[in-house]
PDB file of all heavy atoms in Angstrom:
ATOM      1  N   ASP A   1      90.997 117.103 127.080  1.00 94.00           N
ATOM      2  CA  ASP A   1      89.651 116.462 127.022  1.00 94.00           C
ATOM      3  C   ASP A   1      88.662 117.687 126.933  1.00 94.00           C
ATOM      4  O   ASP A   1      88.536 118.418 127.908  1.00 94.00           O
ATOM      5  CB  ASP A   1      89.271 115.527 128.141  1.00 94.00           C
ATOM      6  CG  ASP A   1      88.030 114.855 127.922  1.00 94.00           C
ATOM      7  OD1 ASP A   1      87.479 115.001 126.798  1.00 94.00           O
ATOM      8  OD2 ASP A   1      87.557 114.291 128.910  1.00 94.00           O
ATOM      9  N   LYS A   2      87.973 117.887 125.882  1.00 93.00           N
ATOM     10  CA  LYS A   2      86.923 118.981 125.866  1.00 93.00           C
ATOM     11  C   LYS A   2      85.481 118.321 125.926  1.00 93.00           C
ATOM     12  O   LYS A   2      84.451 119.158 125.774  1.00 93.00           O
ATOM     13  CB  LYS A   2      87.012 119.447 124.286  1.00 93.00           C
ATOM     14  CG  LYS A   2      88.311 120.195 124.045  1.00 93.00           C
ATOM     15  CD  LYS A   2      88.721 121.252 124.925  1.00 93.00           C
ATOM     16  CE  LYS A   2      89.929 122.002 124.508  1.00 93.00           C
ATOM     17  NZ  LYS A   2      90.427 123.049 125.415  1.00 93.00           N
ATOM     18  N   ASN A   3      85.458 117.231 126.444  1.00 94.00           N
ATOM     19  CA  ASN A   3      84.051 116.602 126.709  1.00 94.00           C
ATOM     20  C   ASN A   3      83.210 116.468 125.446  1.00 94.00           C
ATOM     21  O   ASN A   3      81.940 116.699 125.521  1.00 94.00           O
ATOM     22  CB  ASN A   3      83.446 117.164 127.832  1.00 94.00           C
ATOM     23  CG  ASN A   3      84.154 116.798 129.149  1.00 94.00           C
ATOM     24  OD1 ASN A   3      84.481 115.669 129.476  1.00 94.00           O
ATOM     25  ND2 ASN A   3      84.162 117.846 129.968  1.00 94.00           N
ATOM     26  N   VAL A   4      83.924 116.297 124.318  1.00 94.00           N
ATOM     27  CA  VAL A   4      83.112 116.086 123.044  1.00 94.00           C
ATOM     28  C   VAL A   4      82.426 114.721 123.028  1.00 94.00           C
ATOM     29  O   VAL A   4      82.925 113.833 123.784  1.00 94.00           O
ATOM     30  CB  VAL A   4      84.028 116.219 121.854  1.00 94.00           C
ATOM     31  CG1 VAL A   4      83.349 116.130 120.565  1.00 94.00           C
ATOM     32  CG2 VAL A   4      84.782 117.597 121.853  1.00 94.00           C
ATOM     33  N   ASP A   5      81.402 114.623 122.287  1.00 96.00           N
ATOM     34  CA  ASP A   5      80.656 113.318 122.236  1.00 96.00           C
ATOM     35  C   ASP A   5      81.690 112.256 121.851  1.00 96.00           C
ATOM     36  O   ASP A   5      82.542 112.534 121.017  1.00 96.00           O
ATOM     37  CB  ASP A   5      79.405 113.366 121.376  1.00 96.00           C
ATOM     38  CG  ASP A   5      79.783 113.590 119.936  1.00 96.00           C
ATOM     39  OD1 ASP A   5      80.038 114.767 119.444  1.00 96.00           O
ATOM     40  OD2 ASP A   5      79.992 112.547 119.186  1.00 96.00           O
ATOM     41  N   TRP A   6      81.256 111.051 122.190  1.00 96.00           N
ATOM     42  CA  TRP A   6      82.183 109.842 121.940  1.00 96.00           C
ATOM     43  C   TRP A   6      82.481 109.691 120.533  1.00 96.00           C
ATOM     44  O   TRP A   6      83.621 109.409 120.138  1.00 96.00           O
ATOM     45  CB  TRP A   6      81.476 108.490 122.504  1.00 96.00           C
ATOM     46  CG  TRP A   6      82.317 107.401 122.314  1.00 96.00           C
ATOM     47  CD1 TRP A   6      83.328 106.883 123.213  1.00 96.00           C
ATOM     48  CD2 TRP A   6      82.291 106.385 121.282  1.00 96.00           C
ATOM     49  NE1 TRP A   6      83.888 105.689 122.689  1.00 96.00           N
ATOM     50  CE2 TRP A   6      83.230 105.452 121.488  1.00 96.00           C
ATOM     51  CE3 TRP A   6      81.538 106.360 120.159  1.00 96.00           C
ATOM     52  CZ2 TRP A   6      83.531 104.373 120.641  1.00 96.00           C
ATOM     53  CZ3 TRP A   6      81.699 105.355 119.282  1.00 96.00           C
ATOM     54  CH2 TRP A   6      82.712 104.331 119.519  1.00 96.00           C
ATOM     55  N   PHE A   7      81.446 109.656 119.645  1.00 96.00           N
ATOM     56  CA  PHE A   7      81.613 109.517 118.207  1.00 96.00           C
ATOM     57  C   PHE A   7      82.559 110.494 117.622  1.00 96.00           C
ATOM     58  O   PHE A   7      83.600 110.147 116.849  1.00 96.00           O
ATOM     59  CB  PHE A   7      80.351 109.568 117.523  1.00 96.00           C
ATOM     60  CG  PHE A   7      80.286 109.156 116.101  1.00 96.00           C
ATOM     61  CD1 PHE A   7      80.284 107.850 115.625  1.00 96.00           C
ATOM     62  CD2 PHE A   7      80.368 110.117 115.098  1.00 96.00           C
ATOM     63  CE1 PHE A   7      80.293 107.451 114.384  1.00 96.00           C
ATOM     64  CE2 PHE A   7      80.452 109.784 113.804  1.00 96.00           C
ATOM     65  CZ  PHE A   7      80.294 108.457 113.389  1.00 96.00           C
ATOM     66  N   SER A   8      82.432 111.763 117.885  1.00 96.00           N
ATOM     67  CA  SER A   8      83.330 112.774 117.290  1.00 96.00           C
ATOM     68  C   SER A   8      84.742 112.609 117.926  1.00 96.00           C
ATOM     69  O   SER A   8      85.687 112.858 117.214  1.00 96.00           O
ATOM     70  CB  SER A   8      82.806 114.129 117.671  1.00 96.00           C
ATOM     71  OG  SER A   8      81.473 114.282 117.156  1.00 96.00           O
ATOM     72  N   THR A   9      84.968 112.176 119.154  1.00 96.00           N
ATOM     73  CA  THR A   9      86.069 112.078 119.849  1.00 96.00           C
ATOM     74  C   THR A   9      87.001 110.964 119.017  1.00 96.00           C
ATOM     75  O   THR A   9      88.144 111.173 118.738  1.00 96.00           O
ATOM     76  CB  THR A   9      85.979 111.681 121.315  1.00 96.00           C
ATOM     77  OG1 THR A   9      85.357 112.732 122.049  1.00 96.00           O
ATOM     78  CG2 THR A   9      87.440 111.448 121.940  1.00 96.00           C
ATOM     79  N   GLN A  10      86.300 109.892 118.752  1.00 97.00           N
ATOM     80  CA  GLN A  10      87.009 108.959 117.942  1.00 97.00           C
ATOM     81  C   GLN A  10      87.420 109.310 116.663  1.00 97.00           C
ATOM     82  O   GLN A  10      88.569 108.949 116.211  1.00 97.00           O
ATOM     83  CB  GLN A  10      86.041 107.553 117.878  1.00 97.00           C
ATOM     84  CG  GLN A  10      85.562 107.044 119.157  1.00 97.00           C
ATOM     85  CD  GLN A  10      86.559 106.727 120.103  1.00 97.00           C
ATOM     86  OE1 GLN A  10      87.570 106.194 119.947  1.00 97.00           O
ATOM     87  NE2 GLN A  10      86.395 107.155 121.372  1.00 97.00           N
ATOM     88  N   LEU A  11      86.527 110.022 115.854  1.00 97.00           N
ATOM     89  CA  LEU A  11      86.996 110.416 114.440  1.00 97.00           C
ATOM     90  C   LEU A  11      87.996 111.543 114.553  1.00 97.00           C
ATOM     91  O   LEU A  11      88.809 111.536 113.602  1.00 97.00           O
ATOM     92  CB  LEU A  11      85.711 110.946 113.832  1.00 97.00           C
ATOM     93  CG  LEU A  11      84.645 109.997 113.552  1.00 97.00           C
ATOM     94  CD1 LEU A  11      83.351 110.636 112.825  1.00 97.00           C
ATOM     95  CD2 LEU A  11      85.216 108.797 112.713  1.00 97.00           C
ATOM     96  N   GLN A  12      88.166 112.404 115.472  1.00 96.00           N
ATOM     97  CA  GLN A  12      89.060 113.411 115.559  1.00 96.00           C
ATOM     98  C   GLN A  12      90.385 112.831 115.818  1.00 96.00           C
ATOM     99  O   GLN A  12      91.465 113.489 115.439  1.00 96.00           O
ATOM    100  CB  GLN A  12      88.791 114.453 116.730  1.00 96.00           C
ATOM    101  CG  GLN A  12      87.550 115.345 116.296  1.00 96.00           C
ATOM    102  CD  GLN A  12      87.332 116.326 117.565  1.00 96.00           C
ATOM    103  OE1 GLN A  12      87.897 116.155 118.596  1.00 96.00           O
ATOM    104  NE2 GLN A  12      86.258 117.094 117.402  1.00 96.00           N
ATOM    105  N   ALA A  13      90.503 111.710 116.437  1.00 96.00           N
ATOM    106  CA  ALA A  13      91.857 111.175 116.897  1.00 96.00           C
ATOM    107  C   ALA A  13      92.306 110.026 115.954  1.00 96.00           C
ATOM    108  O   ALA A  13      93.499 109.572 116.290  1.00 96.00           O
ATOM    109  CB  ALA A  13      91.702 110.612 118.295  1.00 96.00           C
ATOM    110  N   THR A  14      91.642 109.756 115.046  1.00 97.00           N
ATOM    111  CA  THR A  14      92.087 108.465 114.196  1.00 97.00           C
ATOM    112  C   THR A  14      92.166 108.814 112.619  1.00 97.00           C
ATOM    113  O   THR A  14      91.440 109.599 112.169  1.00 97.00           O
ATOM    114  CB  THR A  14      91.125 107.349 114.479  1.00 97.00           C
ATOM    115  OG1 THR A  14      89.795 107.750 114.014  1.00 97.00           O
ATOM    116  CG2 THR A  14      91.147 106.746 115.809  1.00 97.00           C
ATOM    117  N   CYS A  15      93.077 108.187 112.040  1.00 96.00           N
ATOM    118  CA  CYS A  15      93.083 108.230 110.615  1.00 96.00           C
ATOM    119  C   CYS A  15      93.468 106.883 109.966  1.00 96.00           C
ATOM    120  O   CYS A  15      94.043 106.089 110.684  1.00 96.00           O
ATOM    121  CB  CYS A  15      94.007 109.266 110.003  1.00 96.00           C
ATOM    122  SG  CYS A  15      95.817 109.059 110.487  1.00 96.00           S
ATOM    123  N   ASN A  16      93.085 106.626 108.750  1.00 96.00           N
ATOM    124  CA  ASN A  16      93.424 105.294 108.174  1.00 96.00           C
ATOM    125  C   ASN A  16      94.691 105.564 107.266  1.00 96.00           C
ATOM    126  O   ASN A  16      95.098 106.552 106.841  1.00 96.00           O
ATOM    127  CB  ASN A  16      92.243 104.867 107.244  1.00 96.00           C
ATOM    128  CG  ASN A  16      91.146 104.354 108.075  1.00 96.00           C
ATOM    129  OD1 ASN A  16      91.215 104.264 109.270  1.00 96.00           O
ATOM    130  ND2 ASN A  16      90.061 103.816 107.352  1.00 96.00           N
ATOM    131  N   VAL A  17      95.258 104.367 106.986  1.00 95.00           N
ATOM    132  CA  VAL A  17      96.522 104.302 106.125  1.00 95.00           C
ATOM    133  C   VAL A  17      96.134 103.432 104.933  1.00 95.00           C
ATOM    134  O   VAL A  17      95.289 102.470 105.127  1.00 95.00           O
ATOM    135  CB  VAL A  17      97.655 103.656 106.948  1.00 95.00           C
ATOM    136  CG1 VAL A  17      98.843 103.448 105.909  1.00 95.00           C
ATOM    137  CG2 VAL A  17      98.007 104.613 108.162  1.00 95.00           C
ATOM    138  N   HIS A  18      96.609 103.654 103.855  1.00 93.00           N
ATOM    139  CA  HIS A  18      96.253 103.045 102.500  1.00 93.00           C
ATOM    140  C   HIS A  18      96.190 101.505 102.687  1.00 93.00           C
ATOM    141  O   HIS A  18      97.103 100.868 103.360  1.00 93.00           O
ATOM    142  CB  HIS A  18      97.358 103.387 101.520  1.00 93.00           C
ATOM    143  CG  HIS A  18      97.048 102.650 100.268  1.00 93.00           C
ATOM    144  ND1 HIS A  18      96.003 102.969  99.297  1.00 93.00           N
ATOM    145  CD2 HIS A  18      97.762 101.787  99.600  1.00 93.00           C
ATOM    146  CE1 HIS A  18      96.108 102.276  98.295  1.00 93.00           C
ATOM    147  NE2 HIS A  18      97.150 101.417  98.381  1.00 93.00           N
ATOM    148  N   GLN A  19      95.240 100.966 102.175  1.00 92.00           N
ATOM    149  CA  GLN A  19      95.057  99.522 102.174  1.00 92.00           C
ATOM    150  C   GLN A  19      95.879  98.884 101.079  1.00 92.00           C
ATOM    151  O   GLN A  19      95.806  99.214  99.803  1.00 92.00           O
ATOM    152  CB  GLN A  19      93.521  99.068 102.033  1.00 92.00           C
ATOM    153  CG  GLN A  19      93.473  97.653 102.101  1.00 92.00           C
ATOM    154  CD  GLN A  19      92.102  97.077 101.690  1.00 92.00           C
ATOM    155  OE1 GLN A  19      91.253  97.872 101.145  1.00 92.00           O
ATOM    156  NE2 GLN A  19      91.669  95.881 102.187  1.00 92.00           N
ATOM    157  N   SER A  20      96.644  97.771 101.465  1.00 94.00           N
ATOM    158  CA  SER A  20      97.279  96.991 100.559  1.00 94.00           C
ATOM    159  C   SER A  20      97.487  95.658 101.355  1.00 94.00           C
ATOM    160  O   SER A  20      97.289  95.562 102.549  1.00 94.00           O
ATOM    161  CB  SER A  20      98.573  97.530 100.164  1.00 94.00           C
ATOM    162  OG  SER A  20      99.544  97.519 101.241  1.00 94.00           O
ATOM    163  N   PHE A  21      97.773  94.508 100.639  1.00 95.00           N
ATOM    164  CA  PHE A  21      98.075  93.278 101.218  1.00 95.00           C
ATOM    165  C   PHE A  21      99.173  93.474 102.219  1.00 95.00           C
ATOM    166  O   PHE A  21      99.099  92.852 103.310  1.00 95.00           O
ATOM    167  CB  PHE A  21      98.549  92.197 100.284  1.00 95.00           C
ATOM    168  CG  PHE A  21      98.771  90.840 100.763  1.00 95.00           C
ATOM    169  CD1 PHE A  21      97.672  89.999 101.211  1.00 95.00           C
ATOM    170  CD2 PHE A  21     100.023  90.451 101.001  1.00 95.00           C
ATOM    171  CE1 PHE A  21      98.000  88.739 101.611  1.00 95.00           C
ATOM    172  CE2 PHE A  21     100.282  89.247 101.547  1.00 95.00           C
ATOM    173  CZ  PHE A  21      99.313  88.333 101.858  1.00 95.00           C
ATOM    174  N   PHE A  22     100.297  94.224 101.939  1.00 96.00           N
ATOM    175  CA  PHE A  22     101.412  94.230 102.890  1.00 96.00           C
ATOM    176  C   PHE A  22     100.895  95.075 104.094  1.00 96.00           C
ATOM    177  O   PHE A  22     101.207  94.841 105.257  1.00 96.00           O
ATOM    178  CB  PHE A  22     102.531  94.998 102.139  1.00 96.00           C
ATOM    179  CG  PHE A  22     103.789  95.272 103.111  1.00 96.00           C
ATOM    180  CD1 PHE A  22     104.641  94.294 103.534  1.00 96.00           C
ATOM    181  CD2 PHE A  22     103.806  96.531 103.587  1.00 96.00           C
ATOM    182  CE1 PHE A  22     105.565  94.486 104.486  1.00 96.00           C
ATOM    183  CE2 PHE A  22     104.846  96.798 104.541  1.00 96.00           C
ATOM    184  CZ  PHE A  22     105.725  95.807 104.901  1.00 96.00           C
ATOM    185  N   ASN A  23     100.305  96.236 103.899  1.00 95.00           N
ATOM    186  CA  ASN A  23      99.844  97.140 104.966  1.00 95.00           C
ATOM    187  C   ASN A  23      98.931  96.393 105.956  1.00 95.00           C
ATOM    188  O   ASN A  23      98.981  96.674 107.116  1.00 95.00           O
ATOM    189  CB  ASN A  23      99.314  98.403 104.436  1.00 95.00           C
ATOM    190  CG  ASN A  23     100.230  99.467 103.918  1.00 95.00           C
ATOM    191  OD1 ASN A  23     101.455  99.248 104.046  1.00 95.00           O
ATOM    192  ND2 ASN A  23      99.850 100.475 103.284  1.00 95.00           N
ATOM    193  N   ASP A  24      98.014  95.593 105.366  1.00 96.00           N
ATOM    194  CA  ASP A  24      97.093  94.895 106.205  1.00 96.00           C
ATOM    195  C   ASP A  24      97.794  93.970 107.095  1.00 96.00           C
ATOM    196  O   ASP A  24      97.465  93.790 108.271  1.00 96.00           O
ATOM    197  CB  ASP A  24      96.069  94.107 105.354  1.00 96.00           C
ATOM    198  CG  ASP A  24      95.082  95.116 104.710  1.00 96.00           C
ATOM    199  OD1 ASP A  24      95.108  96.276 104.848  1.00 96.00           O
ATOM    200  OD2 ASP A  24      94.270  94.556 103.842  1.00 96.00           O
TER     201      ASP A  24
END
C-alpha cells in the first residue's frame, strides 16, 4: 500500500474484459 488516492488505487488494480452476451 503506497497510500495513493482512492480513485487511482481502484484504476491501478482493475481491468475490463471484452463485453459480449456470454461474458456478461
Side-chain angles (χ1 to χ4, degrees):
D1 183 15
K2 301 298 184 182
N3 290 315
V4 179
D5 65 276
W6 181 87
F7 186 82
S8 300
T9 299
Q10 305 303 317
L11 292 180
Q12 288 177 356
T14 55
C15 65
N16 284 359
V17 176
H18 177 71
Q19 182 189 17
S20 68
F21 179 82
F22 175 80
N23 283 353
D24 290 354

